[in-house]
Amino acid sequence: MDLEVRHLRAICAIADSGSISKAATTLKMSQPALATQLRRIERMFGGPLFERGRDGARPTQLGAWVLVRSRSLLPAFDELRRDGMRYAGQAAERITVRVGCMSSHLAINVIKCLGELLPGADVVVRTEEAMDLLPGLLESERLELATLGDYPGHELSPPPGVRYAGVAVEPIFVGLAESHPLARREEIELRDLAAEDWSLHALAETGHREHFWAACAGQGFTPQIAYSADLGLALDLIASARCVGMFQATSKGYPGIAIRPLTGTPLRFRHMIGWTELGPVAPHSAALVQAVTAAYWAEVGRSPVYAAWLDRHGPLASLT
């Protein structure tokens, strides 16, 4: 017997439901038929995939190994079927737009604007802490739309079959404890933070890291990266005055943390969106970019530090 996609679905259904009988109902099979199919699958893998007992079916060590791989493979098979239908000129049941999002305030605007432009579409969102993976997922057509960003000296170029558009260039601010002496300043010189410990996200994209290091070098120091932490831990560390960190200008604030602009804007970032040329977003791309840009600037007023900075300096026109 050869391994088939339906076998992987059966394994996942048993694991998800916790019993063969419940999985059989989900799969619209009889319980004996599913039990027989499972025995054949287990013979193929060379060992039991589930421990059966009064409490149901629990994955064995081999079963857990097979489950991890099954769950990673099944979405690819679903994509293959859907994409095959599209290329064959057949219409799928509904338009599906897979959106990859950075951890940024732009993401919710993109999702809301997309829903307004394509009200009948199923929008599936995938979040990434850093955006290094997103261009490749667009190129391989595993995403139809993504929020992206780039930095001075590390500008993004779209891969084949993908289009990019800029939304806004934004300064990067610094966050430090409200009790920090520098928190009393309206703007802070980056060089005045030379002696501070910094927190930088462990998954920060390459462009972000290199732009930060280059900006610090330009101010005559090498930053001390004391913590590689996710956002939740970084906020606690900064609020307790153990380190400082970088924040998006559109941040609306966090308890115990003062977010301040950097004098001369040595750090900046460009918000972008990308889409596949042959995907369902392409015919609406111009309207989407316009709507997302308008939504971005409407949100700025809710970030008081950024709004005050804009009153003093005006919007950034470019990355350089």
Side-chain angles (χ1 to χ4, degrees), residues 16-75:
D16 292 341
S17 62
S19 77
I20 294 176
S21 59
K22 291 179 182 178
T25 301
T26 301
L27 297 169
K28 298 180 180 179
M29 298 174 63
S30 68
Q31 191 271 345
L34 181 57
T36 299
Q37 185 180 88
L38 177 60
R39 286 194 293 271
R40 291 174 179 169
I41 296 170
E42 289 177 326
R43 284 198 297 270
M44 190 179 349
F45 280 108
L49 301 182
F50 295 92
E51 295 177 353
R52 287 80 150 179
R54 292 183 178 180
D55 295 333
R58 299 177 57 185
T60 62
Q61 186 173 358
L62 173 61
W65 182 88
V66 172
L67 271 169
V68 169
R69 283 146 184 84
S70 297
R71 295 193 196 281
S72 66
L73 287 171
L74 285 172

Side-chain angles (χ1 to χ4, degrees), residues 29 121 152 184 197 212 223-224 256 297 318 320:
M29 298 174 63
R184 294 192 292 269
D197 287 338
F212 174 57
Q224 303 174 46
W297 289 111
S318 68
T320 56

Side-chain angles (χ1 to χ4, degrees), residues 184-316:
R184 294 192 292 269
R185 297 185 184 178
E186 187 174 63
E187 296 189 5
I188 297 173
E189 293 277 355
L190 180 58
R191 63 173 58 90
D192 289 343
L193 300 168
E196 301 289 337
D197 287 338
W198 287 79
S199 175
L200 186 63
H201 200 291
L203 298 177
E205 55 268 26
T206 303
H208 184 187
R209 288 178 176 274
E210 294 187 359
H211 174 46
F212 174 57
W213 281 81
C216 292
Q219 301 261 328
F221 72 97
T222 299
Q224 303 174 46
I225 309 299
Y227 303 98
S228 294
D230 62 16
L231 178 60
L233 177 57
L235 293 176
D236 289 339
L237 291 167
I238 295 169
S240 61
R242 294 183 177 275
C243 61
V244 299
M246 287 173 281
F247 285 79
Q248 293 180 17
T250 47
S251 296
K252 296 177 177 63
Y254 300 95
I257 296 176
I259 298 176
R260 296 291 181 264
L262 292 166
T263 303
T265 317
L267 297 170
R268 57 184 67 190
F269 167 84
R270 178 170 57 182
H271 289 286
M272 306 172 71
I273 57 176
W275 62 91
T276 54
E277 292 180 343
L278 298 178
V281 175
H284 309 276
S285 57
L288 179 63
V289 173
Q290 183 177 9
V292 171
T293 301
Y296 171 86
W297 289 111
E299 286 282 325
V300 165
R302 301 180 186 178
S303 304
V305 178
Y306 188 24
W309 183 91
L310 285 167
D311 287 341
R312 295 193 301 273
H313 302 286
L316 293 174

